[in-house]
């Protein structure tokens, strides 16, 4: 399938492929034949791979917006916009769906946890805090995907701060500089 210049990786699952182009268009393609099922412009560049569920496609834009798109129509079901710091790195982490929960890390150095169906914020936590005197020292972007395993969420940010969150306690339980 011929598309414009792509900006995101290819996500695959549940019979669908999802990609985004540099103009902010998100495409859902049939995994078997490559035909475009729907296209929507999300008014922001999508740099990260989408997360796909049976009902939703969850994407994150470079401007810090997390969007859940209806998998059958492409309509926006819910959105969340994080507060961006003054300086960020050009990059973005992919959201991760685990059960009925969406995990996403943001450029403000935080992990956000949301209900998949409603977008309701369940909890969030700081991966690290800005502590320098310059904007470069204060970069806290988390451009790597959260990793979920056995009720724990592993996150890391630009400055190398590794944080481990417990999903049952809904808080960070361990942090170190990597």
């Amino acid at each position: 399938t011929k598309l414009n210049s792509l900006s995101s990786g290819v996500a695959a699952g549940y019979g669908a492929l999802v990609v985004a182009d540099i103009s902010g268009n998100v495409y859902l393609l049939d995994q078997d034949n490559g035909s475009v099922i729907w296209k929507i412009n999300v008014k922001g560049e999508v740099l990260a791979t989408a997360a796909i569920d049976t009902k939703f496609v969850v994407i994150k834009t470079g401007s810090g917006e997390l969007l859940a798109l209806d998998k059958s129509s492409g309509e926006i079901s819910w959105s969340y916009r994080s507060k961006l710091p003054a300086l960020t790195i050009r990059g973005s982490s992919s959201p991760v769906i685990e059960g009925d929960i969406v995990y996403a890390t943001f450029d403000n150095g935080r992990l956000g946890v949301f209900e998949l169906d409603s977008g309701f914020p369940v909890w969030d936590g700081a991966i690290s805090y800005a502590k320098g005197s310059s904007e470069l020292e204060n970069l806290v972007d988390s451009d790597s995907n959260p990793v979920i395993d056995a009720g724990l969420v592993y996150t890391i940010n630009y400055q190398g701060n590794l944080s481990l969150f417990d999903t049952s306690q809904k808080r960070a339980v361990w942090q170190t500089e990597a």
Side-chain angles (χ1 to χ4, degrees):
T1 301
K2 178 90 169 129
L3 301 171
N4 293 331
S5 301
L6 300 180
S7 60
S8 74
V10 179
Y14 300 100
L17 300 172
V18 177
V19 293
D21 67 22
I22 60 174
S23 300
N25 295 308
V26 177
Y27 299 86
L28 184 107
L29 305 145
D30 183 281
Q31 193 168 5
D32 293 327
N33 62 28
S35 64
V36 175
I37 297 171
W38 54 254
K39 169 183 135 181
I40 182 173
N41 188 287
V42 295
K43 298 176 180 51
E45 190 174 19
V46 179
L47 301 171
T49 305
I52 304 174
D53 181 70
T54 56
K55 296 188 292 187
F56 298 101
V57 172
V58 182
I59 60 160
K60 197 171 104 186
T61 68
S63 59
E65 189 170 16
L66 186 69
L67 297 152
L69 308 174
D70 183 280
K71 187 171 170 273
S72 60
S73 67
E75 293 178 19
I76 296 173
S77 297
W78 57 264
S79 69
Y80 170 85
R81 183 175 294 273
S82 67
K83 185 174 191 254
L84 287 176
L87 181 65
T88 67
I89 298 170
R90 181 175 164 77
S92 188
S93 60
S94 297
V96 175
I97 299 172
E98 181 76 24
D100 60 350
I101 301 291
V102 177
Y103 298 86
T105 58
F106 296 97
D107 291 344
N108 61 5
R110 299 193 71 81
L111 167 71
V113 181
F114 307 87
E115 287 181 355
L116 178 59
D117 287 335
S118 66
F120 181 79
V122 178
W123 58 277
D124 82 333
I127 298 167
S128 67
Y129 299 96
K131 58 184 174 190
S133 57
S134 74
E135 289 299 324
L136 285 175
E137 291 173 322
N138 286 328
L139 282 172
V140 292
D141 296 39
S142 184
D143 292 336
S144 65
N145 307 345
V147 175
I148 298 107
D149 183 47
L152 300 172
V153 183
Y154 299 81
T155 61
I156 194 162
N157 72 357
Y158 173 78
Q159 299 292 1
N161 295 300
L162 175 65
S163 294
L164 180 64
F165 294 86
D166 185 318
T167 60
S168 63
Q169 295 181 39
K170 299 181 170 123
R171 66 178 185 91
V173 292
W174 180 80
Q175 294 180 334
T176 190
E177 290 186 20

